[in-house]
Amino acid sequence: MFGITSPFCLAGVRTTDDTANDLVQALTASGRLNDAEWVCRNQLGRHPEGLLLHAKWSARLAHVLAERNAASIFDGKIADLSQRIDPAIDSACQPIVVLLSSDPESPSVVFLHATQLAIRQRILGAAIVAASVSPPDPTLTNELLSKFSRLQYDVNELQETAREEWSKRTAESPRGTQPSVRIAADQYQRLLQELSLQRVSIALLQSELFPKDSDDYRAAAADAAVVAEDAMLALPDGSEAKRVARALRAESLLRSGDVATAGEIITAAGASSATNDSARWTALRVRLELARGDTSTARAICDAYYQSTGSEEADPERLEVDFAKLDLLLADAKDDGEVARWIDQIERRGGAFARRRAESIAIALLRSTASPTEMTDRRRLSPALIAAQGEDWLRRNDPRQAAGLLREAALAEPAPEAAFQYAAKSAAAAIAAKDSQQAIEVLRQTARKHAVHDHAYQLTMQAALLASKPFAGADDPKRRLTLLEDLLKEVSQTWPSSEAAIKANEWLCRILVQSGREEQAARDALELLTLGQRVDQVEPTLTLWFEYLSALELDQATNELDSLAATLGELAAENDAFADPVHRAAILFFDRPQMAFDTTTLTGADPSTVFLRRLERFRASGGGGGGTIATDGVDETMRLRARWRLQRDAMLDAATQRAIGSVLLSWPDSSEWQTATARFWNARDEASITAIMRLSLSGDPTKPQSLRRGMRLLAGSDSQAAKRAAIELADRLAATMKIGENDWYEAKLQAIKWLDQIGDQQQARKRAQYVLLLQRPGEEATRKRFEAFAKD
């Protein structure tokens, strides 16, 4: 809060380079960092290494670089903020590192280390402001807390080292007898005072990691007040350092909520004209009155201060009054235009970083007033103010800062139309800053907040479109695909009856099917159907379910059909519009136990309806009555589903096979397998069995799907000859596998089971005993299955 001066600026005697130092400070304050760096490097060239002035200018150069690197903290993604901090610190400290590496015994070493600590604090302070423009991130907060804790520890350690050096200097003979390169004791004493103040300012700065007025914020401020009190006890009475420590303690107490104690300190300071007129104490008096709720008195203090001072120069202490007035305007301004103008004024005096700090203060208020738990009598800050700040950064060609501010405005804006506009602008700025992730999140979060609005889904669909394209910079396709799927599912779940939900679900299901996740595609489509209850989505849903079910094994499909039948049944019971399409789906999908056959409810004379009525009667009778089912005028999709359904019926109930085989033989466009299967069911003679055997053995030996298919088909018949053929195929299948693997044991068990079914228990027992003797399974469940057949 109150910046600590570089220790090298504390020398009690002016030297010949002070004019150049004043120039560097002026250039740095005005943002002319390139010019300031040139002056520093020029001075370094004039003072050879080993001289005290060379060390001083190395430190001053490091401070200039720190200012530049503090500004660069804002240039990257917030997700990478913690990764940018250490490189920024290391880069700024490079002149000091170079000097210390060449002269590790330099008499300036303690002061150089102090400069490094000040640089760390400066860049960490910038990181806090950068982080404040984004929603609170516990992980980032913890990382910053860790860095501050380490900084506080290092300051304490350096303070002990400086105290030892001070003791040595005070114990030495008079100053005049010391070498010119030695640093006087009084300079170490000044450094000790600065380090004491730095400890307090670090502790106070940590409170800004938390939302204002939160428990963590107050607790951190209370800790800072304790550190300040300790510093005051160690600092000499009447010193400027002690007055600064007292002011820091008052600020800490105000933040912690101890207004009464803070008021006592500030009131006592007012008795001294020296402190009463200072900018630091004026800012504290303003904040005290604001904490008491007396905005009129706070405004009077501000007005009196600015009437008595006309300087426009940048001054750290004066800026504190500027920020105190900003707090006043945020609490008391009748319109946000006055706040916006004052933020501009802060920038004119303090530069771009001061503006960012001012905007972060406004954002903190915006977040608190956007909360429904806040007191209703507190002034609400208009999101339009923050949006205007963001648009101003756009005009300055800083899209990253603009994106963060516009996002905050979008998430705080209660009016949906305005929120959507801010979100779109924020997303566009984030894309310009090559941060697609942030663009997606602002669109998504704004849509969630205003989900009841008719057009909110458009933002989430825009986010999905962004997620479908490679991200600028480091792209992670897998992570991006997961994000895209989440966004598409969010559209279908949040706005299930909208056209956007249908498009999103179609898109999502295409992705799932293409990646081999047919089951998930089928389930997501069914979920949308139940949520949106749109009859026109029955057919697309059934298409996905057919693709999924037709690839399953016989037993696997049973549970899935149970689930599908239950869901569609409930849907039809709740909504009469679904009665007819669900009835048609039942004829082509459901197993017979899942159906309540009613062959009279389907109406219509079109070929498809006539076909479905005949198919329903045929299935209801279990294939009884024989005859054929004509497919004239029936589309290929329906024929394909009907064939699959009848084939499944035949596999589930061998008694229906002959009738089903007869029907399927008359249907067109049969594959070789389908024709052979229908003939086998219809005749079950040696020729049909031989045909199945031939097709089963004609497949790729390394991919035994044909063998498995033939086994199931032949074993599903009540023909003993067919079961013997299935046993032969099972032996062939086992021969393609590695002995002792799970699939090998399963093939052996299949053959043994079918031997038992056809009455050849002796052969089944021999086979089981053989496996147990030579290839005894290690898995207990498998071993018990063999033992069941091995018993006499």
Side-chain angles (χ1 to χ4, degrees):
M1 180 173 157
F2 302 119
I4 294 184
T5 311
S6 167
F8 281 123
C9 296
L10 297 177
V13 180
R14 290 186 62 86
T15 55
T16 57
D17 66 305
D18 276 351
T19 301
N21 181 48
D22 293 344
L23 174 60
V24 168
Q25 291 184 354
L27 292 172
T28 302
S30 62
R32 296 169 59 186
L33 299 179
N34 289 337
D35 294 336
E37 181 181 351
W38 182 88
V39 172
C40 290
R41 294 193 184 279
N42 183 58
Q43 290 294 324
L44 273 176
R46 293 175 55 189
H47 304 291
E49 190 174 311
L51 297 181
L52 184 59
L53 283 175
H54 186 87
K56 288 182 178 181
W57 279 106
S58 293
R60 288 164 184 165
L61 174 60
H63 275 293
V64 171
L65 296 178
E67 286 301 311
R68 176 179 292 143
N69 291 355
S72 72
I73 284 290
F74 296 85
D75 293 340
K77 298 178 182 179
I78 192 65
D80 304 329
L81 176 61
S82 61
Q83 300 171 21
R84 298 197 299 276
I85 294 172
D86 289 342
I89 293 171
D90 294 342
S91 173
C93 291
Q94 190 62 22
I96 297 174
V97 173
V98 170
L99 178 59
L100 289 175
S101 64
S102 62
D103 187 10
E105 301 300 324
S106 168
S108 309
V109 64
V110 176
F111 294 89
L112 291 170
H113 286 316
T115 301
Q116 288 178 305
L117 295 178
I119 287 170
R120 282 167 61 185
Q121 181 176 346
R122 174 69 183 92
I123 291 176
L124 284 172
I128 290 179
V129 177
S132 68
V133 183
S134 295
D137 179 353
T139 301
L140 178 58
T141 298
N142 289 335
E143 290 176 353
L144 289 172
L145 276 173
S146 176
K147 291 182 182 296
F148 271 108
S149 296
R150 182 65 199 183
L151 175 61
Q152 190 73 281
Y153 174 84
D154 290 344
V155 171
N156 292 343
E157 290 291 298
L158 186 64
Q159 198 171 15
E160 290 301 316
T161 302
R163 188 173 287 110
E164 292 173 2
E165 291 295 326
W166 175 67
S167 298
K168 291 178 184 178
R169 298 294 179 272
T170 54
E172 290 172 348
S173 54
R175 179 171 178 166
T177 65
Q178 297 304 315
S180 60
V181 295
R182 301 284 280 180
I183 297 177
D186 62 338
Q187 291 184 334
Y188 279 101
Q189 188 175 25
R190 295 286 297 277
L191 175 61
L192 283 170
Q193 294 176 11
E194 289 288 342
L195 291 173
S196 293
L197 295 178
Q198 188 174 11
R199 289 183 59 215
V200 183
S201 66
I202 291 170
L204 185 57
L205 195 56
Q206 288 183 73
S207 68
E208 297 180 11
L209 286 166
F210 307 103
K212 191 175 182 182
D213 296 331
S214 67
D215 290 342
D216 288 333
Y217 177 88
R218 287 188 288 269
D223 291 341
V226 173
V227 177
E229 189 172 14
D230 291 341
M232 288 171 59
L233 294 174
L235 291 167
D237 293 337
S239 65
E240 176 62 20
K242 189 157 191 170
R243 285 192 288 271
V244 173
R246 185 178 294 111
L248 288 169
R249 181 166 182 255
E251 174 67 22
S252 301
L253 290 168
L254 281 176
R255 294 189 184 190
S256 71
D258 190 352
V259 178
T261 306
E264 292 173 3
I265 296 173
I266 296 169
T267 301
S272 168
S273 59
T275 59
N276 188 46
D277 294 334
S278 73
R280 177 181 291 126
W281 287 96
T282 299
L284 284 170
R285 290 168 57 209
V286 172
R287 292 195 176 99
L288 174 63
E289 297 306 327
L290 289 177
R292 291 170 170 170
D294 189 349
T295 55
S296 297
T297 302
R299 186 176 289 275
I301 294 170
C302 280
D303 291 344
Y305 176 81
Y306 288 110
Q307 287 171 6
S308 65
T309 60
S311 173
E312 293 292 321
E313 294 179 1
D315 174 21
E317 282 198 28
R318 182 187 176 94
L319 273 172
E320 286 309 308
V321 183
D322 292 343
F323 281 109
K325 182 173 179 179
L326 175 63
D327 289 338
L328 168 64
L329 294 177
L330 290 171
D332 192 45
K334 301 300 184 290
D335 65 80
D336 295 323
E338 188 176 4
V339 176
R341 288 188 292 275
W342 191 248
I343 290 177
D344 290 340
Q345 176 71 5
I346 286 176
E347 181 182 20
R348 282 192 290 273
R349 262 201 284 267
F353 181 80
R355 181 188 186 93
R356 287 187 169 106
R357 180 182 165 198
E359 289 167 345
S360 71
I361 293 170
I363 286 173
L365 177 61
L366 183 69
R367 286 178 183 155
S368 66
T369 57
S371 170
T373 60
E374 284 294 311
M375 295 173 59
T376 56
D377 59 348
R378 185 174 184 177
R379 188 180 89 86
R380 287 189 62 86
L381 182 64
S382 171
L385 168 65
I386 302 301
Q389 304 305 307
E391 290 168 349
D392 190 59
W393 283 106
L394 276 179
R395 289 188 288 273
R396 300 159 183 256
N397 199 29
D398 190 338
R400 192 173 302 282
Q401 184 76 1
L405 292 166
L406 286 163
R407 179 191 59 240
E408 292 298 324
L411 297 180
E413 175 58 59
E417 292 82 0
F420 295 165
Q421 289 182 9
Y422 298 153
K425 290 180 180 179
S426 175
I431 292 170
K434 295 181 171 54
D435 192 347
S436 300
Q437 184 77 37
Q438 184 179 149
I440 289 169
E441 284 306 310
V442 68
L443 294 170
R444 185 183 200 177
Q445 292 174 19
T446 307
R448 284 176 175 173
K449 183 176 179 181
H450 301 282
V452 296
H453 191 275
D454 291 342
H455 301 297
Y457 63 81
Q458 293 177 354
L459 269 68
T460 310
M461 286 298 286
Q462 290 174 16
L465 287 171
L466 290 176
S468 69
K469 301 173 183 177
F471 290 172
D475 183 40
D476 184 344
K478 288 186 178 179
R479 181 181 175 189
R480 183 163 47 81
L481 180 60
T482 300
L483 177 59
L484 173 58
E485 292 175 9
D486 289 344
L487 289 164
L488 294 174
K489 190 158 187 175
E490 191 167 308
V491 173
S492 63
Q493 290 179 334
T494 309
W495 303 278
S497 59
S498 67
E499 291 296 327
I502 295 173
K503 293 179 181 178
N505 193 256
E506 289 175 349
W507 188 357
L508 174 61
C509 290
R510 281 198 304 272
I511 293 172
L512 294 172
V513 170
Q514 289 169 2
S515 59
R517 290 174 286 168
E518 288 82 0
E519 177 184 358
Q520 190 60 51
R523 296 193 188 285
D524 284 350
L526 186 61
E527 181 183 38
L528 175 63
L529 182 65
T530 57
L531 291 174
Q533 297 202 8
R534 290 185 51 154
V535 175
D536 60 350
Q537 290 307 294
V538 172
E539 179 53 32
T541 301
L542 293 177
T543 297
L544 289 166
W545 272 91
F546 183 74
E547 291 177 4
Y548 168 52
L549 292 169
S550 59
L552 296 179
E553 299 290 347
L554 187 72
D555 293 339
Q556 290 176 326
T558 300
N559 290 335
E560 299 299 340
L561 281 168
D562 285 341
S563 175
L564 177 64
T567 302
L568 292 182
E570 290 177 5
L571 195 59
E574 295 171 359
N575 190 335
D576 291 340
F578 285 90
D580 185 74
V582 171
H583 186 177
R584 291 169 182 266
I587 298 170
L588 294 168
F589 282 86
F590 298 174
D591 287 338
R592 294 181 70 225
Q594 299 159 345
M595 295 182 63
F597 289 103
D598 187 350
T599 60
T600 64
T601 57
L602 284 185
T603 59
D606 60 284
S608 294
T609 302
V610 172
F611 172 79
L612 286 175
R613 278 202 298 266
R614 290 175 179 172
L615 180 61
E616 183 176 25
R617 284 196 295 268
F618 180 83
R619 294 191 63 209
S621 66
T628 61
I629 303 176
T631 61
D632 296 340
V634 178
D635 65 71
E636 183 180 358
T637 297
M638 185 172 288
R639 289 202 313 270
L640 186 65
R641 294 175 184 176
R643 186 189 297 275
W644 170 82
R645 180 61 266 176
L646 288 178
Q647 287 176 332
R648 179 172 170 81
D649 283 345
M651 295 294 290
L652 291 172
D653 184 0
T656 66
Q657 288 179 354
R658 189 176 297 277
I660 289 174
S662 177
V663 166
L664 293 179
L665 278 173
S666 65
W667 285 10
D669 303 323
S670 299
S671 68
E672 189 177 9
W673 260 106
Q674 289 169 345
T675 300
T677 299
R679 285 177 177 166
F680 168 69
W681 283 334
N682 187 48
R684 284 176 288 189
D685 55 14
E686 184 178 349
S688 62
I689 293 173
T690 301
I692 298 297
M693 289 286 288
R694 177 180 60 80
L695 289 171
S696 300
L697 296 170
S698 65
D700 185 348
T702 63
K703 299 177 181 178
Q705 289 91 339
S706 296
L707 285 171
R708 296 181 189 278
R709 184 177 184 180
M711 282 168 48
R712 289 193 301 268
L713 180 59
L714 294 168
S717 168
D718 55 9
S719 164
Q720 287 205 359
K723 278 188 165 60
R724 287 195 178 279
I727 294 168
E728 181 180 344
L729 291 179
D731 291 339
R732 296 283 190 99
L733 179 64
T736 68
M737 299 171 176
K738 185 177 180 180
I739 295 174
E741 288 187 343
N742 288 336
D743 286 346
W744 183 83
Y745 284 121
E746 284 300 321
K748 289 294 184 181
L749 279 168
Q750 289 281 20
I752 292 170
K753 182 179 72 173
W754 293 331
L755 282 167
D756 184 70
Q757 287 178 358
I758 64 175
D760 196 348
Q761 284 81 17
Q762 182 179 3
Q763 185 62 28
R765 185 168 56 255
K766 286 182 179 179
R767 288 193 179 207
Q769 290 172 344
Y770 180 83
V771 171
L772 290 171
L773 178 64
L774 298 181
Q775 298 293 336
R776 189 175 185 83
E779 186 177 313
E780 183 180 1
T782 303
R783 186 170 64 251
K784 287 183 176 180
R785 291 170 68 191
F786 279 101
E787 289 172 348
F789 288 108
K791 296 177 181 177
D792 293 332

